[in-house]
Amino acid sequence: MAHTAQLSASGAIAPVRRLKIGFVLARSFTLSAFAMFIDTLRLASDQLDRSGRVLADWQVLGSTRHLIASSCGVQVAPTSDFVDPRQFDYIAVVGGLLTVQQPVDYDTIRFLKLAASKGVPLIGLCTGSFILAEAGLMKEHETCVSWLHYHDFRERFPDHKARPDRLFNLERKRGSCAGGSSAADLAAALVRRHISADAERNALEVLQIEKARSQFDIQTRQPLRDYVNDPRVAAALITMEQHLEGGITIERLAASVGLSRRQLERLFHEKAGISPGLAFRRLRLDRARQILLTSKKPIIEVALDVGFVNTSHFTKEFRRTYGRTPAEIRDSAARDRAAPDHAQRGRHQGSPQPAVV
């Protein structure tokens, strides 16, 4: 850790250890994750709201000093070049839009690999974990990703361990979080670990956060709105989503949340009004519908992606749930997308022009 100094009770100058974080911002980075993390540090370090850096310090690192635009358009300027990474206790990579082809440049990747080789812990905030994984720096570590990006992560890095159920994960040399407010939870854990519980409490009180969540808390998930009132049901549903292509039985699912199959079935009927098997099938079909509407994959490939071994069974179950076949759903969506274009061309090419009075 970096050191500063303060007067002791006897009047002597005593060194104070500071938590020091270096930030790397991706192109189109998520502003909320960066702001929540860095403001938790600032308020934990602060004394009487002076925005000081008494107990923590930070720099925004970059290969150039050019402004870096966030996904919402707000721009941030790096405050430091890529210096010796050992000057920092952690390097935090703030990710953003996954559609950006090259979120960081080669010099940044080289710096992150250097930091890892020097033993400096690396943290992926939001989709920053994708950048670390792309650089080969997350292979031996469990990565926390947002449920929204879990399937993208699995497709890109099938040999990596990933969890879309937890808010964040913090190991000795790696950290990751789902993004959004979980960045504050991860920052609070670092403050508590390296500064004090008092500093953490001070930051959270100013941020109007009643209590920091732990890395064992479950993500708030829009698709599971009706189920999150019981953490075991939520955890089971998330495990289902990790195995949409098959490979897990209801018995193994029950064991993963510490229940027998009969106990799990009773809990699902009580909390969700359906059986675990029906819930699993609905999740698989919901995922299939999403793939059909957002990709051009052949229907047989979509069926295999969600655990159906043949097209006929998949089509039958899909029609039973949605009232239309997979092909009909896809064709209808294509027509809906094309309709505005036809209408627009009609207005410009064939529509009668208003009379000039």
Side-chain angles (χ1 to χ4, degrees), residues 24 48 346 351:
V24 171
L48 301 178
S351 300

Side-chain angles (χ1 to χ4, degrees), residues 222-275:
Q222 189 71 16
L224 298 180
R225 181 188 299 171
D226 297 332
Y227 310 114
V228 294
N229 60 337
D230 189 288
R232 293 166 297 179
V233 174
L237 286 163
I238 291 168
T239 302
M240 288 178 187
E241 288 203 341
Q242 295 175 345
H243 297 84
L244 292 181
E245 75 286 355
I248 189 169
T249 63
I250 300 300
E251 286 80 7
R252 282 183 55 202
L253 188 67
S256 72
V257 293
L259 299 173
S260 68
R261 174 172 181 150
R262 180 170 295 182
Q263 288 172 324
L264 183 68
E265 289 175 342
R266 188 162 50 243
L267 185 65
F268 260 76
H269 280 292
E270 177 187 341
K271 300 295 184 180
I274 57 176
S275 69

Side-chain angles (χ1 to χ4, degrees), residues 205-218:
E205 286 177 352
V206 178
L207 288 171
Q208 298 296 308
I209 298 175
E210 183 177 357
K211 181 183 178 182
R213 297 165 294 182
S214 79
Q215 62 181 328
F216 303 108
D217 283 316
I218 295 174

Side-chain angles (χ1 to χ4, degrees), residues 26-27 30 92-104 109 112-113 122-139 142-158 160-164 174-179 219:
R27 298 183 179 95
T30 304
V93 183
V94 188
L97 297 178
L98 293 179
T99 53
V100 176
Q101 292 298 316
Q102 189 180 9
V104 295
I109 295 297
L112 293 174
K113 290 181 176 180
L122 303 175
I123 295 174
L125 301 182
C126 193
T127 58
S129 55
F130 281 72
I131 295 171
L132 293 175
E134 191 70 48
L137 300 173
M138 295 297 288
K139 286 183 178 178
E142 189 172 74
T143 305
C144 173
V145 296
S146 166
W147 62 267
L148 183 65
H149 301 128
Y150 172 70
H151 291 290
D152 292 305
F153 191 89
R154 272 204 2 174
E155 287 178 8
R156 292 194 192 187
F157 314 107
H160 285 52
K161 294 182 291 183
R163 296 199 64 161
R174 294 291 185 275
S176 51
C177 78
Q219 293 180 30

Side-chain angles (χ1 to χ4, degrees), residues 167-190:
L167 286 171
F168 67 91
N169 189 49
L170 186 58
E171 303 173 6
R172 195 170 63 87
K173 291 298 181 183
R174 294 291 185 275
S176 51
C177 78
S181 62
S182 69
D185 298 307
L186 176 51
L190 293 179

Side-chain angles (χ1 to χ4, degrees), residues 343-355:
Q344 186 72 13
R345 284 195 293 271
R347 281 194 295 271
H348 288 291
Q349 296 175 4
S351 300
Q353 297 299 311

